[in-house]
Amino acid sequence: MITKEQRRELKKHLGPRYTKGVLEILKKQGVVNPNGEVYTSGSVRNVLAGQQENETIESAIYDFVSKKKKKAKLLEKKRIELLKSNSNV
């Protein structure tokens, strides 16, 4: 289960509409709930809020944060390279 401290740290990286990204990961993995239906945004929010325990959704949340952090690092690298090349002109 996600703790308060973990939730604070995760929220720093998730951004708005994070449930869509988490649900996309679950869909790609072919994960469904015990009723055979896709998980809902509410389920994702409940897991992040610590109101519901679900290791599969929790893992997808961590995967999504990891993906966002990688994108941010790549963007920063591009920004640095671009600014470096502009300062040499």
Side-chain angles (χ1 to χ4, degrees):
M1 184 171 273
I2 296 175
T3 66
K4 287 181 184 181
E5 295 80 22
Q6 292 167 337
R7 180 170 40 259
R8 275 194 291 266
E9 189 62 31
L10 289 168
K11 283 185 174 186
K12 290 179 186 178
H13 302 286
L14 285 170
R17 294 186 264 253
Y18 68 91
T19 57
K20 181 179 178 183
V22 174
L23 291 172
E24 286 176 11
I25 289 171
L26 291 169
K27 183 178 179 180
K28 284 181 184 178
Q29 294 174 348
V31 176
V32 293
N33 69 20
N35 297 331
E37 300 169 346
V38 295
Y39 282 102
T40 64
S41 295
S43 294
V44 174
R45 285 190 301 272
N46 287 340
V47 170
L48 183 64
Q51 298 171 345
Q52 179 181 338
E53 189 170 343
N54 185 307
E55 290 180 4
T56 304
I57 293 176
E58 187 175 335
S59 178
I61 290 170
Y62 286 120
D63 289 345
F64 184 64
V65 169
S66 176
K67 184 178 174 182
K68 287 197 69 154
K69 287 175 98 174
K70 286 178 186 176
K71 275 187 173 183
K73 283 183 182 181
L74 180 61
L75 179 61
E76 183 61 21
K77 182 178 176 183
K78 286 180 180 181
R79 185 178 293 124
I80 289 169
E81 288 298 315
L82 178 64
L83 295 174
K84 186 189 315 180
S85 64
N86 282 340
S87 65
N88 293 334
V89 175

